[in-house]
Amino acid sequence: MDQMPNCPKCNGEYVYHDTIHFVCPDCGNEWSGEEVAQSSDEFIVKDSNGNQLQDGDSVILIKDLKVKGSSLVLKKGSKAKNIRLVDSDHNVDCKIDGVSLALKSEFLKKA
Ligand SMILES: [Zn+2]
């Protein structure tokens, strides 16, 4: 690695690497390089209860949701299987009763 990341805590620029950890002299924060790499890639989607969702999970709607651009209303309690997480204005792609839907995880809970 030829460029040091900024400190994730205080955004300090004088980070150095002490063979195992990155160290920030400004705030004393230490963290492993691996964690930094993961957290920059990883995007986490949580349901309404704060449980982390993953591709392939099943979820249940916690409220009635109107589907944009249609008269369809998804009923509270509807179950979506095999969800797919996406990094967009919505964060869960799924199908309910064969209809492809784009949902927000705040209206879902893990089944
Ligand atoms: Zn710092």
XYZ file of all heavy atoms in Angstrom:
854
model
N 0.853 -1.199 0.000
C 0.000 0.000 0.000
C 0.882 1.240 0.000
O 1.715 1.416 0.874
C -0.902 -0.020 1.246
C -1.973 1.051 1.201
S -3.032 0.974 2.654
C -3.939 -0.523 2.322
N 0.699 2.103 -0.961
C 1.583 3.260 -1.023
C 0.902 4.542 -0.550
O 1.531 5.564 -0.402
C 2.148 3.441 -2.435
C 1.073 3.477 -3.491
O -0.102 3.666 -3.118
O 1.384 3.312 -4.669
N -0.387 4.435 -0.303
C -1.062 5.639 0.190
C -1.819 5.322 1.467
O -2.602 4.381 1.514
C -2.008 6.174 -0.868
C -2.322 7.636 -0.637
C -3.439 8.122 -1.549
O -3.821 7.436 -2.491
N -3.977 9.271 -1.238
N -1.584 6.103 2.492
C -2.251 5.881 3.758
C -3.669 6.462 3.718
O -3.871 7.549 3.198
C -1.465 6.545 4.896
C -0.152 5.858 5.186
S -0.424 4.182 5.762
C 1.247 3.562 5.688
N -4.580 5.710 4.309
C -5.943 6.267 4.380
C -5.996 7.344 5.450
O -5.154 7.390 6.330
C -6.775 5.056 4.805
C -5.812 4.225 5.596
C -4.456 4.425 4.968
N -6.992 8.183 5.366
C -7.236 9.117 6.472
C -7.849 8.354 7.635
O -8.446 7.298 7.460
C -8.183 10.230 6.038
C -7.491 11.256 5.160
O -6.320 11.105 4.819
N -8.216 12.280 4.771
N -7.679 8.910 8.821
C -8.250 8.297 10.010
C -9.775 8.259 9.896
O -10.403 9.282 9.633
C -7.838 9.111 11.232
S -8.644 8.553 12.740
N -10.397 7.081 10.092
C -11.855 6.999 9.976
C -12.572 7.713 11.120
O -13.761 7.971 11.034
C -12.136 5.494 10.004
C -10.954 4.888 10.663
C -9.778 5.781 10.369
N -11.846 8.008 12.168
C -12.464 8.625 13.341
C -12.427 10.160 13.254
O -13.441 10.823 13.378
C -11.731 8.162 14.593
C -12.592 8.040 15.829
C -11.794 7.307 16.901
C -12.552 7.263 18.210
N -11.749 6.594 19.239
N -11.234 10.691 13.030
C -11.106 12.161 13.036
C -10.711 12.683 11.663
O -10.545 13.880 11.485
C -10.070 12.601 14.069
S -8.375 12.201 13.607
N -10.554 11.763 10.696
C -10.176 12.128 9.342
C -8.779 12.755 9.269
O -8.456 13.493 8.355
C -11.234 13.065 8.729
C -11.262 12.943 7.224
O -11.019 11.872 6.691
N -11.556 14.028 6.545
N -7.949 12.441 10.267
C -6.581 12.957 10.290
C -5.748 12.400 9.143
O -5.952 11.281 8.698
N -4.801 13.189 8.677
C -4.019 12.815 7.499
C -2.679 12.197 7.854
O -1.956 11.759 6.977
C -3.744 14.066 6.641
C -4.984 14.688 6.060
C -4.656 16.022 5.393
O -3.493 16.213 4.980
O -5.569 16.866 5.311
N -2.294 12.192 9.134
C -0.938 11.785 9.477
C -0.881 10.348 9.963
O -0.104 10.001 10.836
C -0.360 12.763 10.513
C -0.390 14.175 10.000
C -1.328 15.074 10.459
C 0.489 14.554 8.989
C -1.385 16.363 9.944
C 0.442 15.834 8.470
C -0.496 16.741 8.946
O -0.551 18.001 8.434
N -1.725 9.535 9.375
C -1.808 8.132 9.747
C -0.532 7.403 9.353
O 0.025 7.634 8.281
C -3.029 7.511 9.036
C -3.007 6.000 9.137
C -4.320 8.080 9.610
N -0.053 6.542 10.229
C 1.060 5.668 9.860
C 0.702 4.232 10.165
O -0.296 3.937 10.829
C 2.356 6.088 10.561
C 2.305 6.046 12.067
C 2.683 4.895 12.746
C 1.883 7.163 12.792
C 2.625 4.857 14.134
C 1.831 7.125 14.179
C 2.199 5.971 14.848
O 2.134 5.928 16.204
N 1.523 3.324 9.661
C 1.238 1.907 9.779
C 2.297 1.287 10.651
O 3.484 1.447 10.397
C 1.273 1.284 8.376
C 0.606 -0.041 8.310
N 1.285 -1.225 8.136
C -0.713 -0.367 8.384
C 0.408 -2.232 8.111
N -0.795 -1.747 8.251
N 1.916 0.599 11.730
C 2.908 0.025 12.628
C 3.022 -1.484 12.465
O 3.197 -2.201 13.425
C 2.609 0.414 14.079
C 1.467 -0.390 14.688
O 0.795 -1.120 13.934
O 1.252 -0.302 15.906
N 2.939 -1.995 11.283
C 3.028 -3.398 10.848
C 1.735 -4.193 11.052
O 1.450 -5.073 10.277
C 4.196 -4.205 11.504
O 3.901 -4.428 12.885
C 5.523 -3.514 11.369
N 0.981 -3.924 12.094
C -0.291 -4.624 12.265
C -1.445 -3.655 12.082
O -2.440 -3.956 11.423
C -0.420 -5.255 13.675
C 0.775 -6.169 13.954
C -1.724 -6.047 13.789
C 0.867 -6.626 15.391
N -1.305 -2.493 12.661
C -2.406 -1.539 12.686
C -2.050 -0.251 11.979
O -0.881 0.101 11.870
C -2.765 -1.180 14.139
C -3.337 -2.305 14.905
N -2.624 -2.996 15.850
C -4.553 -2.885 14.861
C -3.387 -3.953 16.361
N -4.555 -3.907 15.770
N -3.083 0.414 11.547
C -2.935 1.827 11.222
C -3.093 2.598 12.522
O -3.906 2.231 13.379
C -4.011 2.284 10.234
C -3.833 1.720 8.862
C -4.636 0.685 8.407
C -2.858 2.238 8.017
C -4.462 0.170 7.136
C -2.689 1.736 6.742
C -3.490 0.691 6.298
N -2.309 3.652 12.660
C -2.383 4.454 13.878
C -2.540 5.913 13.487
O -1.852 6.397 12.586
C -1.096 4.299 14.730
C -1.198 5.127 16.006
C -0.853 2.837 15.059
N -3.457 6.584 14.187
C -3.632 8.017 13.959
C -3.022 8.774 15.123
O -3.465 8.620 16.260
C -5.112 8.348 13.827
S -5.418 10.126 13.774
N -1.967 9.578 14.883
C -1.333 10.314 15.984
C -2.218 11.442 16.500
O -2.013 11.916 17.614
C -0.053 10.880 15.343
C -0.357 10.936 13.884
C -1.335 9.840 13.586
N -3.177 11.853 15.734
C -4.028 12.970 16.167
C -4.979 12.576 17.287
O -5.119 13.267 18.279
C -4.846 13.522 14.994
C -3.957 14.221 13.990
O -2.835 14.635 14.373
O -4.366 14.358 12.825
N -5.677 11.425 17.111
C -6.670 11.050 18.118
C -6.343 9.726 18.792
O -7.050 9.287 19.683
C -8.065 10.971 17.490
S -8.260 9.605 16.337
N -5.242 9.068 18.373
C -4.838 7.822 19.009
C -5.609 6.609 18.522
O -5.450 5.500 19.036
N -6.448 6.785 17.536
C -7.228 5.682 16.977
C -6.300 4.650 16.327
O -5.359 5.007 15.634
C -8.204 6.257 15.934
C -9.196 5.228 15.450
O -9.452 4.239 16.126
N -9.758 5.465 14.287
N -6.569 3.358 16.587
C -5.841 2.294 15.904
C -6.841 1.383 15.234
O -7.877 1.069 15.779
C -5.030 1.460 16.901
C -3.925 2.228 17.568
C -3.103 1.314 18.484
O -3.214 0.077 18.357
O -2.362 1.858 19.308
N -6.531 0.946 14.042
C -7.431 0.013 13.377
C -6.629 -0.828 12.405
O -5.517 -0.467 12.028
C -8.568 0.752 12.666
C -8.146 1.575 11.472
C -8.247 1.212 10.161
C -7.563 2.886 11.476
N -7.774 2.223 9.355
C -7.358 3.245 10.138
C -7.198 3.770 12.490
C -6.790 4.467 9.771
C -6.632 4.997 12.124
C -6.450 5.333 10.790
N -7.147 -1.959 12.035
C -6.415 -2.834 11.133
C -6.741 -2.471 9.697
O -7.844 -2.051 9.386
C -6.775 -4.288 11.399
O -7.972 -4.606 10.750
N -5.737 -2.639 8.857
C -5.919 -2.284 7.450
C -7.028 -3.082 6.807
O -7.748 -2.592 5.936
N -7.166 -4.311 7.243
C -8.188 -5.176 6.673
C -9.593 -4.615 6.899
O -10.423 -4.637 6.013
C -8.090 -6.554 7.319
C -8.117 -7.669 6.293
C -7.903 -8.994 6.983
O -6.971 -9.088 7.803
O -8.683 -9.909 6.729
N -9.825 -4.121 8.096
C -11.135 -3.569 8.417
C -11.492 -2.385 7.525
O -12.610 -2.249 7.085
C -11.189 -3.117 9.875
C -11.515 -4.246 10.816
C -11.292 -3.850 12.260
O -11.170 -2.645 12.553
O -11.221 -4.759 13.082
N -10.488 -1.582 7.276
C -10.714 -0.417 6.426
C -11.119 -0.870 5.030
O -12.093 -0.393 4.468
C -9.444 0.470 6.351
C -9.589 1.507 5.253
C -9.212 1.148 7.683
N -10.392 -1.853 4.512
C -10.696 -2.347 3.173
C -12.111 -2.911 3.115
O -12.849 -2.649 2.174
C -9.689 -3.418 2.770
N -12.484 -3.673 4.133
C -13.818 -4.254 4.135
C -14.908 -3.199 4.250
O -15.869 -3.229 3.515
C -13.970 -5.230 5.298
C -13.375 -6.579 4.987
C -13.450 -7.513 6.178
O -13.958 -7.141 7.228
N -12.939 -8.701 6.016
N -14.721 -2.276 5.169
C -15.816 -1.350 5.409
C -16.028 -0.409 4.232
O -17.112 0.106 4.040
C -15.588 -0.565 6.701
O -14.435 0.225 6.575
N -14.992 -0.201 3.422
C -15.200 0.667 2.276
C -15.979 -0.061 1.178
O -16.692 0.557 0.404
C -13.862 1.183 1.742
O -13.083 0.106 1.300
N -15.820 -1.387 1.097
C -16.556 -2.165 0.096
C -17.966 -2.488 0.542
O -18.900 -2.486 -0.229
C -15.885 -3.526 -0.132
C -14.655 -3.374 -0.980
O -14.581 -2.376 -1.716
O -13.791 -4.246 -0.887
N -18.056 -2.803 1.821
C -19.255 -3.399 2.340
C -20.370 -2.377 2.425
O -20.155 -1.254 2.837
C -18.958 -3.913 3.743
C -19.843 -5.025 4.163
C -19.384 -5.574 5.514
O -18.721 -4.846 6.253
O -19.697 -6.719 5.799
N -21.549 -2.794 2.026
C -22.659 -1.915 2.341
C -23.673 -2.760 3.076
O -23.913 -3.907 2.758
C -23.152 -1.225 1.059
C -24.372 -1.803 0.433
C -25.600 -1.203 0.664
C -24.318 -2.902 -0.387
C -26.726 -1.708 0.068
C -25.438 -3.410 -0.989
C -26.652 -2.808 -0.753
N -24.177 -2.200 4.140
C -24.991 -2.978 5.063
C -26.436 -2.510 4.995
O -26.707 -1.316 5.007
C -24.443 -2.832 6.498
C -23.086 -3.533 6.584
C -25.418 -3.411 7.516
C -22.377 -3.355 7.904
N -27.316 -3.483 4.878
C -28.743 -3.178 4.865
C -29.359 -3.782 6.114
O -29.173 -4.958 6.395
C -29.418 -3.754 3.600
C -30.923 -3.550 3.658
C -28.843 -3.103 2.350
N -30.069 -2.963 6.850
C -30.702 -3.450 8.074
C -32.212 -3.347 7.965
O -32.732 -2.414 7.359
C -30.216 -2.635 9.271
C -28.787 -2.963 9.620
C -28.336 -2.205 10.829
C -26.929 -2.651 11.208
N -26.354 -1.778 12.232
N -32.898 -4.292 8.585
C -34.352 -4.247 8.587
C -34.847 -3.292 9.669
O -34.068 -2.621 10.336
C -34.947 -5.650 8.733
C -34.773 -6.227 10.133
O -34.253 -5.530 11.027
O -35.156 -7.383 10.339
N -36.166 -3.245 9.841
C -36.752 -2.286 10.774
C -36.331 -2.550 12.212
O -36.416 -1.667 13.058
C -38.270 -2.336 10.662
O -38.712 -3.660 10.881
N -35.879 -3.752 12.496
C -35.426 -4.090 13.845
C -33.925 -3.925 14.015
O -33.386 -4.231 15.070
C -35.796 -5.541 14.181
C -37.287 -5.735 14.299
O -37.992 -4.848 14.774
N -37.777 -6.867 13.849
N -33.254 -3.525 12.951
C -31.809 -3.367 13.038
C -31.029 -4.640 12.774
O -29.829 -4.685 12.975
N -31.733 -5.692 12.310
C -31.029 -6.918 11.942
C -30.459 -6.769 10.535
O -31.124 -6.255 9.642
C -31.975 -8.118 11.949
C -32.458 -8.449 13.345
O -31.666 -8.453 14.280
N -33.743 -8.697 13.479
N -29.250 -7.258 10.370
C -28.628 -7.145 9.064
C -29.262 -8.123 8.075
O -29.459 -9.295 8.386
C -27.131 -7.416 9.179
C -26.373 -6.997 7.949
C -24.869 -7.175 8.117
O -24.358 -7.131 9.230
N -24.180 -7.396 7.019
N -29.604 -7.627 6.901
C -30.178 -8.480 5.857
C -29.095 -8.890 4.882
O -28.118 -8.180 4.672
C -31.271 -7.717 5.111
C -32.482 -7.286 5.948
C -33.412 -6.418 5.109
C -33.223 -8.499 6.476
N -29.320 -10.060 4.283
C -28.371 -10.553 3.298
C -29.110 -11.062 2.072
O -30.298 -11.407 2.163
C -27.539 -11.689 3.899
C -26.509 -11.152 4.863
C -25.802 -12.236 5.638
O -26.346 -13.306 5.866
N -24.607 -11.942 6.058
N -28.384 -11.111 0.955
C -28.963 -11.709 -0.246
C -29.527 -13.077 0.094
O -28.885 -13.864 0.780
C -27.884 -11.895 -1.322
C -27.511 -10.575 -1.977
O -28.223 -9.577 -1.779
O -26.511 -10.561 -2.699
N -30.739 -13.360 -0.404
C -31.318 -14.676 -0.196
C -32.199 -14.779 1.034
O -32.871 -15.785 1.224
N -32.202 -13.738 1.872
C -33.066 -13.767 3.048
C -34.542 -13.674 2.645
O -34.873 -13.224 1.558
C -32.763 -12.573 3.962
C -31.568 -12.823 4.865
O -31.102 -13.980 4.920
O -31.103 -11.876 5.501
N -35.405 -14.084 3.565
C -36.833 -13.848 3.416
C -37.230 -12.732 4.373
O -36.743 -12.668 5.492
C -37.626 -15.111 3.757
O -37.339 -16.121 2.830
N -38.119 -11.874 3.894
C -38.548 -10.749 4.725
C -40.065 -10.629 4.710
O -40.737 -11.144 3.821
C -37.930 -9.408 4.243
C -36.431 -9.406 4.420
C -38.304 -9.136 2.789
N -40.573 -9.953 5.706
C -42.011 -9.718 5.835
C -42.252 -8.219 5.902
O -41.518 -7.491 6.576
C -42.537 -10.408 7.121
C -42.434 -11.920 6.962
C -43.979 -9.987 7.404
C -42.748 -12.678 8.228
N -43.293 -7.772 5.190
C -43.647 -6.351 5.246
C -44.240 -6.017 6.604
O -45.055 -6.769 7.124
C -44.688 -6.014 4.177
C -44.305 -6.189 2.716
C -45.407 -5.603 1.840
C -42.990 -5.506 2.409
N -43.851 -4.872 7.153
C -44.385 -4.481 8.459
C -45.496 -3.451 8.314
O -46.083 -3.019 9.288
C -43.289 -3.929 9.389
C -42.594 -2.712 8.756
C -42.271 -5.018 9.709
C -41.774 -1.928 9.760
N -45.775 -3.023 7.096
C -46.916 -2.132 6.879
C -47.413 -2.286 5.446
O -46.698 -2.818 4.603
C -46.547 -0.676 7.176
C -45.379 -0.170 6.345
C -45.100 1.301 6.614
C -46.027 2.171 5.799
N -45.752 3.617 5.941
N -48.645 -1.823 5.200
C -49.154 -1.819 3.838
C -48.334 -0.837 3.009
O -48.075 0.277 3.445
C -50.622 -1.366 3.810
C -51.549 -2.413 4.422
O -51.050 -3.490 4.812
O -52.756 -2.151 4.494
N -47.961 -1.266 1.825
C -47.181 -0.393 0.953
C -47.844 -0.289 -0.397
O -48.191 -1.303 -1.011
C -45.768 -0.947 0.756
C -44.802 -0.939 1.930
C -43.485 -1.556 1.492
C -44.558 0.466 2.442
N -48.010 0.926 -0.864
C -48.523 1.134 -2.215
C -47.373 1.017 -3.186
O -46.284 1.533 -2.946
C -49.128 2.540 -2.321
C -50.626 2.521 -2.412
C -51.162 3.880 -2.761
C -51.846 3.785 -4.105
N -52.585 4.997 -4.466
N -47.634 0.319 -4.283
C -46.594 0.195 -5.298
C -46.682 1.397 -6.224
O -47.740 1.670 -6.794
C -46.764 -1.101 -6.102
C -45.676 -1.208 -7.169
C -46.703 -2.300 -5.168
N -45.568 2.108 -6.326
C -45.520 3.300 -7.178
C -45.981 2.994 -8.600
O -45.581 2.005 -9.192
C -44.079 3.819 -7.247
C -43.803 4.952 -6.306
C -42.435 5.552 -6.616
C -41.885 6.249 -5.392
N -40.462 6.513 -5.505
N -46.830 3.836 -9.144
C -47.232 3.709 -10.529
C -48.231 2.592 -10.771
O -48.444 2.190 -11.915
N -48.833 2.071 -9.719
C -49.858 1.060 -9.923
C -50.874 1.165 -8.803
O -50.677 1.887 -7.829
C -49.264 -0.343 -9.956
O -49.113 -0.826 -8.643
N -51.965 0.434 -8.939
C -52.982 0.463 -7.890
C -52.747 -0.644 -6.870
O -53.513 -0.836 -5.940
C -54.374 0.312 -8.521
O -54.418 -0.889 -9.248
N -51.663 -1.369 -7.086
C -51.360 -2.502 -6.225
C -50.950 -2.037 -4.827
O -50.164 -1.106 -4.666
C -50.215 -3.293 -6.855
C -49.886 -4.662 -6.295
C -51.041 -5.629 -6.535
C -48.628 -5.193 -6.962
N -51.523 -2.671 -3.833
C -51.095 -2.418 -2.457
C -50.574 -3.722 -1.870
O -51.253 -4.742 -1.883
C -52.250 -1.885 -1.597
C -51.808 -1.718 -0.147
C -52.747 -0.548 -2.128
N -49.378 -3.655 -1.374
C -48.803 -4.833 -0.726
C -49.264 -4.852 0.715
O -49.151 -3.865 1.426
C -47.278 -4.751 -0.766
C -46.684 -4.651 -2.163
C -45.213 -4.309 -2.051
C -46.876 -5.948 -2.907
N -49.794 -5.966 1.109
C -50.352 -6.053 2.454
C -49.256 -6.298 3.486
O -48.328 -7.081 3.267
C -51.354 -7.213 2.515
C -52.649 -6.908 1.791
C -53.463 -5.896 2.593
C -54.690 -5.429 1.805
N -55.122 -4.100 2.248
N -49.461 -5.640 4.602
C -48.634 -5.921 5.768
C -48.645 -7.423 6.017
O -49.708 -8.053 5.963
C -49.229 -5.181 6.961
C -48.524 -5.409 8.255
C -49.237 -4.663 9.361
C -48.668 -5.080 10.708
N -49.338 -4.426 11.817
N -47.504 -8.007 6.275
C -47.443 -9.438 6.519
C -47.084 -10.239 5.278
O -46.812 -11.434 5.375
N -47.099 -9.584 4.104
C -46.678 -10.285 2.882
C -45.223 -10.694 3.015
O -44.408 -9.963 3.570
C -46.815 -9.375 1.650
O -48.146 -9.008 1.450
N -44.923 -11.860 2.465
C -43.571 -12.378 2.606
C -42.855 -12.351 1.264
O -43.431 -12.735 0.244
C -43.639 -13.812 3.124
C -42.307 -14.357 3.574
C -42.500 -15.689 4.278
C -41.169 -16.258 4.729
N -41.323 -17.569 5.358
N -41.645 -11.874 1.278
C -40.802 -11.901 0.080
C -39.635 -12.827 0.344
O -38.931 -12.677 1.340
C -40.300 -10.503 -0.240
N -39.470 -13.791 -0.565
C -38.367 -14.736 -0.395
C -37.207 -14.346 -1.305
O -37.412 -13.748 -2.347
C -38.820 -16.140 -0.787
C -39.706 -16.793 0.237
C -40.048 -18.198 -0.224
C -41.173 -18.762 0.625
N -41.775 -19.943 0.012
N -36.039 -14.751 -0.871
C -34.874 -14.632 -1.737
C -34.637 -13.199 -2.201
O -34.579 -12.920 -3.392
C -35.043 -15.570 -2.939
C -33.702 -15.877 -3.594
O -32.647 -15.647 -3.004
N -33.745 -16.383 -4.805
N -34.538 -12.288 -1.256
C -34.309 -10.890 -1.597
C -32.899 -10.678 -2.147
O -31.996 -11.493 -1.933
C -34.495 -9.976 -0.365
C -33.477 -10.313 0.728
C -35.932 -10.073 0.160
C -33.406 -9.272 1.823
N -32.754 -9.557 -2.839
C -31.435 -9.183 -3.325
C -31.173 -7.739 -2.876
O -32.009 -6.868 -3.081
C -31.399 -9.261 -4.854
C -30.009 -9.425 -5.421
C -30.088 -9.860 -6.863
N -30.783 -8.861 -7.670
C -30.218 -7.763 -8.162
N -28.936 -7.520 -7.950
N -30.897 -6.909 -8.876
N -30.029 -7.538 -2.261
C -29.703 -6.203 -1.768
C -29.112 -5.370 -2.893
O -28.314 -5.860 -3.677
C -28.692 -6.311 -0.621
C -29.137 -7.186 0.553
C -28.058 -7.208 1.620
C -30.460 -6.724 1.112
N -29.533 -4.139 -2.953
C -28.995 -3.230 -3.963
C -28.623 -1.908 -3.297
O -29.188 -1.533 -2.276
C -30.018 -2.957 -5.093
C -30.234 -4.193 -5.924
C -31.333 -2.454 -4.544
N -27.664 -1.233 -3.892
C -27.195 0.034 -3.355
C -27.787 1.141 -4.209
O -27.223 1.546 -5.206
C -25.661 0.046 -3.406
C -25.100 1.157 -2.543
O -25.893 1.932 -1.981
O -23.870 1.236 -2.455
N -28.987 1.575 -3.832
C -29.708 2.520 -4.679
C -30.629 3.374 -3.808
O -30.458 3.412 -2.598
C -30.504 1.717 -5.711
O -31.222 2.590 -6.556
N -31.640 4.026 -4.413
C -32.571 4.803 -3.589
C -33.480 3.882 -2.782
O -34.041 4.258 -1.764
C -33.399 5.771 -4.439
C -34.178 5.057 -5.515
O -33.738 3.973 -5.938
O -35.225 5.572 -5.935
N -33.656 2.653 -3.268
C -34.219 1.610 -2.429
C -33.085 0.632 -2.173
O -32.049 0.729 -2.817
C -35.390 0.907 -3.122
C -34.982 0.148 -4.336
N -34.746 0.750 -5.548
C -34.717 -1.167 -4.534
C -34.381 -0.158 -6.428
N -34.349 -1.328 -5.847
N -33.239 -0.273 -1.224
C -32.096 -1.162 -0.993
C -32.407 -2.654 -1.041
O -31.529 -3.467 -0.823
C -31.348 -0.792 0.292
C -32.277 -0.620 1.467
O -33.411 -1.099 1.432
N -31.820 0.041 2.504
N -33.651 -2.992 -1.354
C -33.987 -4.408 -1.461
C -34.805 -4.652 -2.727
O -35.838 -4.023 -2.945
C -34.807 -4.874 -0.232
C -35.269 -6.319 -0.409
C -33.993 -4.735 1.042
N -34.318 -5.538 -3.568
C -35.091 -6.039 -4.700
C -35.678 -7.382 -4.312
O -34.986 -8.219 -3.733
C -34.192 -6.279 -5.923
C -33.961 -5.012 -6.734
O -34.680 -4.020 -6.509
O -33.074 -5.037 -7.593
N -36.958 -7.593 -4.633
C -37.542 -8.884 -4.312
C -38.785 -9.100 -5.155
O -39.187 -8.231 -5.937
C -37.904 -8.961 -2.832
S -39.164 -7.776 -2.367
N -39.379 -10.253 -4.994
C -40.637 -10.548 -5.655
C -41.660 -10.976 -4.630
O -41.363 -11.754 -3.735
C -40.457 -11.700 -6.646
C -39.876 -11.274 -7.967
C -39.909 -12.426 -8.962
C -39.377 -11.963 -10.309
N -39.496 -13.009 -11.328
N -42.867 -10.430 -4.768
C -43.980 -10.909 -3.963
C -45.080 -11.299 -4.937
O -45.472 -10.480 -5.778
C -44.479 -9.835 -2.975
C -43.384 -9.512 -1.959
C -45.745 -10.312 -2.263
C -43.748 -8.428 -0.960
N -45.562 -12.527 -4.819
C -46.575 -13.043 -5.746
C -46.165 -12.845 -7.205
O -46.981 -12.468 -8.044
C -47.935 -12.361 -5.500
C -48.459 -12.665 -4.102
O -48.082 -13.717 -3.540
O -49.240 -11.853 -3.578
N -44.905 -13.040 -7.496
C -44.444 -12.976 -8.876
C -44.210 -11.573 -9.407
O -43.811 -11.401 -10.550
N -44.449 -10.550 -8.577
C -44.241 -9.165 -9.010
C -42.891 -8.672 -8.495
O -42.606 -8.775 -7.306
C -45.364 -8.250 -8.472
C -45.159 -6.816 -8.945
C -46.724 -8.778 -8.883
N -42.082 -8.151 -9.400
C -40.788 -7.623 -8.984
C -40.963 -6.280 -8.302
O -41.656 -5.405 -8.810
C -39.878 -7.438 -10.207
O -39.549 -8.687 -10.729
N -40.323 -6.129 -7.169
C -40.525 -4.936 -6.364
C -39.194 -4.363 -5.891
O -38.224 -5.079 -5.710
C -41.368 -5.284 -5.137
C -42.763 -5.816 -5.451
C -43.336 -6.507 -4.245
C -43.671 -4.696 -5.916
N -39.214 -3.064 -5.709
C -38.064 -2.372 -5.143
C -38.512 -1.785 -3.812
O -39.360 -0.909 -3.774
C -37.603 -1.264 -6.086
N -37.965 -2.298 -2.735
C -38.447 -1.914 -1.412
C -37.345 -1.299 -0.569
O -36.162 -1.457 -0.844
C -38.992 -3.151 -0.680
C -40.148 -3.864 -1.357
C -40.495 -5.111 -0.562
C -41.361 -2.962 -1.485
N -37.783 -0.608 0.452
C -36.837 -0.072 1.426
C -36.844 -0.955 2.663
O -37.904 -1.330 3.161
C -37.224 1.355 1.797
C -37.027 2.294 0.627
C -37.255 3.728 1.027
C -36.961 4.617 -0.169
N -37.250 6.025 0.107
N -35.667 -1.220 3.160
C -35.550 -2.186 4.258
C -36.214 -1.688 5.538
O -36.533 -2.477 6.414
C -34.082 -2.505 4.519
O -33.397 -1.333 4.888
N -36.440 -0.378 5.646
C -37.089 0.127 6.878
C -38.526 -0.367 7.009
O -39.114 -0.272 8.078
C -37.038 1.657 6.880
C -37.825 2.287 5.754
C -37.365 3.711 5.419
O -36.383 3.841 4.676
O -37.981 4.652 5.890
N -39.106 -0.851 5.896
C -40.488 -1.369 5.942
C -40.510 -2.890 6.013
O -41.545 -3.506 5.835
C -41.262 -0.904 4.714
C -41.320 0.587 4.567
C -40.944 1.202 3.394
C -41.747 1.378 5.625
C -40.975 2.587 3.263
C -41.796 2.765 5.513
C -41.402 3.372 4.336
N -39.369 -3.478 6.258
C -39.275 -4.944 6.237
C -38.739 -5.453 7.558
O -38.028 -4.738 8.269
C -38.302 -5.367 5.123
C -38.615 -4.862 3.730
C -37.465 -5.186 2.808
C -39.908 -5.443 3.222
N -39.096 -6.699 7.845
C -38.354 -7.362 8.915
C -37.994 -8.763 8.452
O -38.692 -9.369 7.650
C -39.151 -7.386 10.215
C -40.314 -8.333 10.191
C -40.952 -8.412 11.562
C -42.086 -9.413 11.498
N -42.900 -9.452 12.683
N -36.898 -9.219 8.969
C -36.388 -10.522 8.593
C -37.375 -11.602 9.007
O -37.872 -11.589 10.140
C -35.046 -10.742 9.286
C -34.158 -11.733 8.611
C -32.763 -11.606 9.199
C -31.865 -12.680 8.670
N -30.456 -12.430 9.004
N -37.682 -12.521 8.093
C -38.660 -13.577 8.400
C -38.005 -14.660 9.244
O -36.827 -14.938 9.099
C -39.200 -14.177 7.125
Zn -7.691 10.160 14.183
